[in-house]
Amino acid sequence: MANKRQKSFRFKRLFSNFLTVAMVLASVYLVSSSVTEWTQNYKSKQELTQLQAELDSLGQETVELEGLKKKLSNADYVQNYARGKHLMSKSDEQVFVLPKAKD
């Protein structure tokens, strides 16, 4: 009878140890999965923020380019821009470059 009790106690202890190890392994797996998901979520949020900033920048650039396109469709603006920026002149004009005023 003592032998049966000892075997029963031994089996319960072995089963308890096995169950404890299984629970620890399951906990480690769940924690590592959670950390992996959190890391991926954090990286995705950073990428989303960066892409949103890039989208805003490109939207602003598009607005500026549309304005420039509208200006460049005006012949008078193109002529004044070329004369001012590239020192172009008409055939009967002379261009003088004046020094900038010192403050």
Side-chain angles (χ1 to χ4, degrees), residues 38 61-62 76 97 103:
W38 181 83
E61 185 179 346
T62 301
D76 291 333
V97 178
D103 292 331

Side-chain angles (χ1 to χ4, degrees), residues 9-66:
F9 179 72
R10 193 172 176 196
F11 176 75
K12 285 181 183 179
R13 194 174 73 187
L14 183 64
F15 182 72
S16 175
N17 288 343
F18 175 75
L19 191 58
T20 302
V21 169
M23 295 293 271
V24 167
L25 290 176
S27 296
V28 167
Y29 174 75
L30 291 174
V31 167
S32 68
S33 296
S34 296
V35 168
T36 302
E37 285 293 322
W38 181 83
T39 304
Q40 288 176 349
N41 189 17
Y42 181 74
K43 287 178 182 178
S44 295
K45 282 183 181 181
Q46 281 184 331
E47 185 179 0
L48 179 64
T49 303
Q50 178 185 4
L51 291 174
Q52 188 65 39
E54 186 178 341
L55 179 65
D56 293 341
S57 172
L58 290 174
Q60 181 65 29
E61 185 179 346
T62 301
V63 169
E64 291 171 4
L65 289 174
E66 288 292 329

